[in-house]
């Protein structure tokens, strides 16, 4: 005697009910029936145990997409960035599944299913990876270039002194050797030996051409 497959299914498993062509979560048995609950909640239904089998990965994904889309997201004002498709996080099964779903949708030119997969992927990443997909400006690469028209400045300030710093400064020089000379002279005159040195220059950010 062959046992109906529903008898071997664990509670919580997503199953396919061939009599209604729906995916549901197996809740257990009620008399002769298998009790199934729609994904995302709702009224349970009774299925003949013979009509129930574990859902395929594809069936599970499609049902998840439908459930997510039918759920009310009113009040959830997370500003998803809808301009950039989300990237799956490596080693995350949910990300991978959704990326596969998106890939398959794209391959069969199903724009609606592709958008659904992106929406699900963003929500999953928002919830499970705490990734905020915000609207972003296009990334522009810059090179940082020293301004050749403005000489770099070297300067030293004497910070010797018991209670307060001496505070004598060399003033800005274009050459570090001039600053050192000033330091030697100041030390000879005052026996002060401790200095704070600084360097300043001007730099500009130049946008780089994008390929
Ligand atoms: Zn993930
Ligand atoms: Zn000094």
């Amino acid at each position: 005697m062959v046992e109906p497959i529903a008898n071997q299914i664990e509670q919580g498993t997503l199953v396919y009910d061939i009599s209604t062509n729906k995916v549901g979560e197996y809740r257990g048995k009620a008399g002769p029936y298998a009790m199934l609950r729609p994904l995302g909640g709702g009224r349970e239904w009774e299925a003949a145990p013979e009509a129930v089998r574990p859902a395929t990965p594809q069936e599970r994904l499609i049902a998840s997409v439908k459930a997510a889309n039918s759920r009310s997201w009113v009040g959830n004002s997370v500003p998803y960035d809808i301009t950039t498709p989300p990237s799956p996080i490596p080693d995350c099964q949910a990300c991978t599944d959704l990326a596969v779903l998106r890939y398959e949708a794209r391959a069969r030119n199903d724009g609606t299913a592709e958008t659904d997969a992106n929406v699900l992927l963003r929500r999953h990443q928002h919830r499970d990876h705490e990734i905020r997909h915000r609207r972003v400006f296009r990334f522009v690469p810059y090179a940082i270039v020293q301004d050749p028209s403005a000489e770099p400045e070297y300067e030293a300030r004497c910070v010797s002194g018991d209670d307060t710093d001496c505070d004598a400064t060399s003033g800005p020089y274009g050459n570090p050797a001039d600053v050192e000379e000033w330091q030697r002279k100041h030390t000879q005159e005052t026996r002060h030996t401790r200095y704070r040195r600084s360097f300043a220059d001007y730099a500009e950010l130049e946008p780089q051409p994008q390929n």
Side-chain angles (χ1 to χ4, degrees):
M1 186 184 122
V2 181
E3 244 190 299
I5 198 157
N7 291 351
Q8 306 154 27
I9 292 173
E10 279 182 40
Q11 191 178 340
T13 303
L14 294 187
V15 296
Y16 192 82
D17 173 11
I18 59 173
S19 60
T20 58
N21 293 320
K22 283 199 298 189
V23 171
E25 185 189 327
Y26 179 67
R27 302 297 297 158
K29 291 191 73 179
Y33 297 107
M35 296 305 296
L36 306 184
R37 188 169 69 181
L39 266 69
R43 188 187 293 258
E44 295 187 355
W45 80 93
E46 297 170 339
E50 304 78 28
V52 168
R53 59 160 172 77
T56 65
Q58 178 78 1
E59 287 163 351
R60 288 206 304 266
L61 273 170
I62 290 171
S64 306
V65 172
K66 281 185 185 164
N69 286 345
S70 65
R71 218 168 285 155
S72 170
W73 287 81
V74 176
N76 181 346
S77 59
V78 176
Y80 291 114
D81 168 22
I82 55 164
T83 58
T84 313
S87 307
I89 307 294
D91 299 330
C92 172
Q93 190 58 52
C95 281
T96 306
D97 287 348
L98 288 163
V100 167
L101 184 76
R102 177 175 65 184
Y103 174 81
E104 290 171 350
R106 202 179 288 156
R108 62 174 191 272
N109 284 320
D110 187 343
T112 306
E114 186 182 341
T115 302
D116 287 348
N118 275 333
V119 168
L120 267 189
L121 192 49
R122 283 190 193 94
R123 284 176 191 162
H124 155 68
Q125 292 188 343
H126 175 71
R127 249 179 321 200
D128 298 334
H129 303 296
E130 299 196 344
I131 292 177
R132 303 289 188 269
H133 290 284
R134 297 196 183 283
R135 205 169 280 272
V136 286
F137 292 105
R138 180 182 280 277
F139 174 72
V140 180
Y142 286 93
I144 300 181
V145 185
Q146 191 180 52
D147 181 355
S149 68
E151 288 290 319
E153 291 173 354
Y154 302 84
E155 192 164 359
R157 181 166 63 87
C158 178
V159 292
S160 307
D162 290 334
D163 294 329
T164 54
D165 292 346
C166 158
D167 243 7
T169 76
S170 67
Y173 282 99
N175 187 329
D178 294 337
V179 176
E180 285 173 17
E181 201 187 311
W182 175 84
Q183 285 178 268
R184 288 199 187 89
K185 208 172 150 204
H186 184 71
T187 296
Q188 263 175 1
E189 287 169 356
T190 62
R191 305 276 170 238
H192 292 164
T193 54
R194 189 172 159 74
Y195 298 86
R196 182 178 189 278
R197 302 204 295 186
S198 57
F199 163 79
D201 70 349
Y202 292 86
E204 287 179 352
L205 270 70
E206 294 180 348
Q208 296 299 287
Q210 293 185 68
N211 302 323

